[in-house]
Each structure stands twice: as C-alpha cells, then as structure tokens.
C-alpha cells in the first residue's frame, strides 16, 4: 500500500514545493520511494500551472535538489486518498481543517515544524515570497530540519501498514 503526503502553502510556488522536493529526496535516500508518494499544492489557485518561484529554484539547486515543479490548488476531494497533509503555517492548518470533509480528514492535517525537535513555540515556516534570498535560505533550513522527524513518522506508518 502506498502512503501519500501532500505539503500545502498559499500559492504552491515557495514553501510547499520546497518541502515537497526536500522530503521526496529524503524518502528516496531512505529507500522508501516506492512506498511513499510526495506532492504539494496551494490553498489558492493564483499560480496554477506555473513553476516554482525562481528564488526557490535557486536555493534548491544550490543545495543539490531537483527543481521540477508545477503549481496547483489543493482540492478537498484529495483528502480521501491522502494519508498526511502537511501545512506550512497555522493559517494553512486552519484553512485545510475547514476544507476537510470529515473529522478523520481534519486529523490528517499537521504543521511541518511540529516534526522539528528543535522548533520553538512558533511552528510556522515564514513566507519568503515578499522578502530577499535569505528568507528562502531560512525556509530551506526549517524544511530540512523538520524533514528528519517527518521521515521517521512516515516510516513508522509505512512499516505499520506492511505488518
């Protein structure tokens, strides 16, 4: 059985594609790429069909990641096929839980930084869109830090499904 994870931010051109690409790399490194499917979306459809923000691509490339991405809008019907929906900030968390058709679907929504052991009380990944390149570097650091804990949680679920 395949475990499905979707990362969600506002426009699906900065934070969520970065998280998708980083986590997909972690899944592949862990040998789980056949068991875990990773994608991303936005709460809004402003950038549907576009690639990632060029600054996102630059930071990802500079750190050895792939940059292939096409933005899309999250559809509530996807809850039925998703195992985990990862919000990049608390506004996304609230919006996604409101979109969830059932309580069980709402329980699938988590904040990315809740998987980062060293995260402080602020679990939001700040939106780098209106800032400079340093905001994209900071975003990548936060995504990478949370990806380790997220991978452990997903691995546990995948191994539990196989048992």
């Amino acid at each position: 059985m395949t475990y499905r994870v979707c990362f969600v931010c506002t426009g699906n051109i900065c934070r969520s594609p970065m998280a998708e690409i980083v986590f997909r790399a972690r899944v592949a490194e862990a040998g789980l790429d056949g068991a875990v499917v990773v994608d991303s979306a936005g709460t809004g459809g402003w950038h549907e069909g576009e690639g990632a923000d060029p600054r996102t691509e630059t930071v990802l490339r500079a750190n050895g990641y792939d940059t292939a991405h096409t933005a899309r809008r999250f559809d509530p019907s996807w809850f039925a096929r998703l195992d985990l929906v990862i919000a990049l900030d608390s506004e996304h968390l609230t919006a996604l839980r409101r979109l969830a058709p059932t309580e069980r679907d709402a329980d699938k929504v988590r904040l990315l930084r809740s998987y980062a052991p060293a995260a402080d009380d602020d679990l939001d990944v700040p939106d780098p869109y209106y800032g400079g390149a340093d905001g994209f570097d900071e975003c990548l650091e936060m995504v990478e830090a949370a990806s380790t804990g997220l991978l452990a949680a997903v691995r546990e679920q995948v191994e539990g499904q196989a048992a």
Side-chain angles (χ1 to χ4, degrees), residues 19-37:
E20 171 192 357
I21 289 165
V22 168
F23 192 64
R24 185 177 295 126
R26 295 297 182 273
V27 164
E29 290 165 5
L32 296 172
D33 50 343
V36 179
V37 172

Side-chain angles (χ1 to χ4, degrees), residues 59-143:
V59 168
L60 287 170
R61 252 192 251 97
N63 287 276
Y65 294 103
D66 178 28
T67 59
H69 174 72
T70 303
R72 62 195 186 136
R73 184 178 191 165
F74 188 85
D75 187 312
S77 69
W78 298 351
F79 275 108
R81 67 175 172 79
L82 293 169
D83 297 288
L84 193 56
V85 180
I86 302 294
L88 277 288
D89 71 27
S90 55
E91 288 182 20
H92 306 130
L93 180 83
T94 300
L96 289 162
R97 287 188 172 159
R98 280 191 192 131
L99 286 174
T102 68
E103 182 80 24
R104 185 172 183 229
D105 290 325
D107 289 343
K108 295 177 183 180
V109 184
R110 300 278 188 278
L111 281 168
L112 176 62
R113 291 194 68 213
S114 68
Y115 294 95
D120 55 18
D121 290 340
D122 182 6
L123 298 180
D124 289 354
V125 175
D127 187 353
Y129 186 77
Y130 294 103
D134 58 331
F136 288 82
D137 290 327
E138 178 184 12
C139 182
L140 180 61
E141 288 173 20
M142 290 180 176
V143 166

Side-chain angles (χ1 to χ4, degrees), residues 29-47:
E29 290 165 5
L32 296 172
D33 50 343
V36 179
V37 172
V38 182
D39 59 20
S40 66
T43 57
W46 309 279
H47 300 287

